[in-house]
Amino acid sequence: MGLEPEDCVVQSMPDVSPTKWHLAHTTWFFETFILKKFVAGYRTEIPEYAYLFNSYYNAAGDMHRRDLRGLISRPTVSEAQRYRASVDSHIDDLLSDADSKLVAEIEPILVLGIHHEQQHQELLITDIKHVFAQNPLYPVFRKGSDGALRRPDAAARRPYQFIEFEQTTAEIGHNGRGFAYDNEGPQHQVLVPAFSLASRPVTNGEYIAFIEDKGYHRAEFWLSLGWMTVNEQRWAAPLYWIRRDGAWWHFTLSGFRPVDESEPVTHISYFEADAYANFAGARLPTEFEWEHAAVDCPIEGNFLETELFHPVAVVSAVSAEKPGKDQGLHQIFGDVWEWTRSAYSPYPGYRAAPGALGEYNGKFMCNQYVLRGGSCATSRTHIRPTYRNFFQPEKRWQFTGIRLARDS
Ligand SMILES: [Fe+2]
């Protein structure tokens, strides 16, 4: 990875954590929930790390303030890497000596720890983007490539279609086979009235039409809280966009470059997504509509693994071999997280587990909206049709975008 130690210590806003903190925190997770629990007499080398690298688990003890993580110059990056190597090696020892009963006990926590680490790998990407964007030198994280996925073709510029779905009673949530977070269950039935879903995400070009039609200055499109935020924050375009010599440019992880109108728009808050939908005479989908539409779509697209770290105007052949209700839905997975209009709340019958790991998801079910589908910074192996991401409606630093829906 193209990062220097100096890059790894900066915290550019309270939502952003330094790279070094992500590395140490994911290590702390394995140490706290596996080594301290399953290794008799385990002694951590530096007990103070538990305070520095606990994120939000009250049941695991006190923690350092999130917004002050950028002030912590020690441990150094190389000390954090040594901490990581030490915990990795203790985990290896534990697993190689464990009998099948112990392995069965450890495995669910180990798997959770790996999925947790994938979440932090995504945050590491979005956080370093925010850090680099503050720098007038506009550092390049990864040189752009003309990879196979990058083909802004005529199809991408075509207007989106609305794919119709009939009213149905849908099975929503994870069926329990394979890993899922607790917030994806219990599986339950939801009545989904007839609706239509756009064939692809909204593009930069379409969003520019909203900007040029004074979308950011017309209160009629905005939720009250969104209108207040637009005016307080003086938003006039997506995060990272700058107007230069009559054209829109934006900062990407491949550097500062002109906005490509055929790419999906990203770094959009829920407020902007909702306002754009109103402007377009549509609305955002519910998370149930989204899941019902996506459940049979193959999980393929522009993910972390393509290492572009930016959404691309790709039109994937989603359903050439799978006629049916997913026909015509493109880029449902990868590229940009899609805001839904669903509040992040518990499914019927949901109960957070007791203890610290029960704090993983449940306690955040307030004042946030659900996003679906993963982004160009999400690992392909991390995402599922039932996966529920969630952020507060004003957040913009994730790769968040828009897919429109309509009542049928
Ligand atoms: Fe975490």
Side-chain angles (χ1 to χ4, degrees):
M1 186 166 293
L3 294 181
E4 300 294 337
E6 290 83 351
D7 300 323
C8 297
V9 299
V10 178
Q11 180 173 34
S12 49
M13 66 164 171
D15 287 327
V16 161
S17 297
T19 311
K20 180 182 72 179
W21 186 89
H22 286 300
L23 178 70
H25 163 69
T26 50
T27 304
W28 167 87
F29 190 97
F30 288 113
E31 182 181 52
T32 303
F33 298 120
I34 295 183
L35 296 182
K36 287 185 178 172
K37 188 165 173 202
F38 294 103
V39 177
Y42 176 80
R43 281 174 56 112
T44 181
E45 285 171 35
I46 303 173
E48 292 79 6
Y49 283 4
Y51 176 77
L52 277 182
F53 300 125
N54 178 1
S55 53
Y56 55 64
Y57 299 88
N58 292 311
D62 290 341
M63 66 208 72
H64 185 239
R65 266 175 57 176
R66 179 181 183 171
D67 57 333
L68 301 183
R69 288 172 186 165
L71 301 183
I72 305 303
S73 60
R74 305 298 175 97
T76 63
V77 174
S78 59
E79 284 168 340
Q81 286 168 332
R82 276 206 294 282
Y83 173 49
R84 171 63 181 215
S86 162
V87 167
D88 275 355
S89 135
H90 279 101
I91 294 276
D92 279 350
D93 292 347
L94 174 65
L95 289 177
S96 55
D97 293 343
D99 59 21
S100 57
K101 182 168 169 288
L102 185 58
V103 168
E105 256 188 284
I106 295 171
E107 186 181 343
I109 308 172
L110 193 64
V111 170
L112 179 66
I114 291 167
H115 286 264
H116 172 251
E117 184 147 319
Q118 287 184 316
Q119 288 182 294
H120 278 278
Q121 286 168 355
E122 173 160 1
L123 289 169
L124 189 154
I125 299 294
T126 54
D127 290 3
I128 203 68
K129 181 170 183 176
H130 195 268
V131 167
F132 279 178
Q134 315 310 310
N135 188 331
L137 298 178
Y138 290 135
V140 169
F141 174 72
R142 183 66 55 90
K143 279 207 173 74
S145 89
D146 294 322
L149 275 171
R150 187 171 171 72
R151 41 183 188 90
D153 57 17
R157 294 167 197 274
R158 278 206 305 266
Y160 48 80
Q161 310 291 315
F162 276 99
I163 315 296
E164 293 186 5
F165 293 81
E166 292 175 2
Q167 174 168 309
T168 189
T169 302
E171 292 288 337
I172 296 296
H174 196 261
N175 61 16
R177 286 195 289 274
F179 177 82
Y181 287 114
D182 62 353
N183 62 5
E184 295 168 61
Q187 193 177 51
H188 61 291
Q189 295 192 325
V190 173
L191 177 66
V192 180
F195 70 101
S196 301
L197 192 62
S199 53
R200 59 163 173 76
V202 170
T203 62
N204 287 328
E206 288 155 353
Y207 199 80
I208 286 172
F210 169 69
I211 297 172
E212 290 180 349
D213 217 8
K214 309 238 177 306
Y216 279 90
H217 304 281
R218 293 168 61 181
E220 69 262 33
F221 298 136
W222 295 84
L223 290 163
S224 173
L225 209 51
W227 185 240
M228 211 156 65
T229 308
V230 163
N231 288 297
E232 275 174 13
Q233 304 291 325
R234 297 169 185 252
W235 287 349
L239 182 63
Y240 302 128
W241 284 36
I242 291 173
R243 189 99 177 138
R244 180 179 280 186
D245 300 329
W248 285 108
W249 288 60
H250 61 168
F251 178 70
T252 75
L253 282 165
S254 304
F256 192 60
R257 67 188 201 200
V259 168
D260 180 336
E261 294 198 3
S262 60
E263 291 170 355
V265 68
T266 191
H267 298 301
I268 290 287
S269 66
Y270 176 85
F271 295 137
E272 289 160 298
D274 181 75
Y276 179 83
N278 288 329
F279 165 78
R283 61 170 172 81
L284 300 178
T286 67
E287 65 168 319
F288 308 121
E289 291 168 340
W290 193 100
E291 184 171 322
H292 172 58
V295 72
D296 292 328
C297 293
I299 301 178
E300 59 187 26
N302 175 26
F303 289 106
L304 177 77
E305 285 80 357
T306 63
E307 298 192 20
L308 295 172
F309 308 113
H310 191 72
V312 293
V314 53
V315 177
S316 55
V318 169
S319 56
E321 298 153 24
K322 291 187 75 177
K325 67 182 180 182
D326 63 331
Q327 184 124 27
L329 285 177
H330 301 289
Q331 293 166 280
I332 197 100
F333 292 108
D335 284 305
V336 290
W337 285 103
E338 298 177 5
W339 284 107
T340 76
R341 70 191 311 181
S342 298
Y344 178 50
S345 59
Y347 286 167
Y350 172 83
R351 290 285 179 276
L357 288 175
E359 297 182 52
Y360 201 108
N361 283 311
K363 72 181 186 182
F364 299 108
M365 290 174 174
C366 178
N367 292 348
Q368 311 211 44
Y369 284 85
V370 173
L371 301 102
R372 296 296 196 117
S375 81
C376 55
T378 311
S379 172
R380 192 189 63 75
T381 61
H382 188 68
I383 202 72
R384 297 169 288 282
T386 57
Y387 194 104
R388 307 172 80 199
N389 197 359
F390 49 91
F391 280 100
Q392 290 93 352
E394 73 279 10
K395 302 300 184 197
R396 310 207 293 174
W397 95 111
Q398 298 299 301
F399 286 100
T400 45
I402 313 168
R403 184 182 298 268
L404 298 175
R406 281 198 313 217
D407 300 325
S408 284

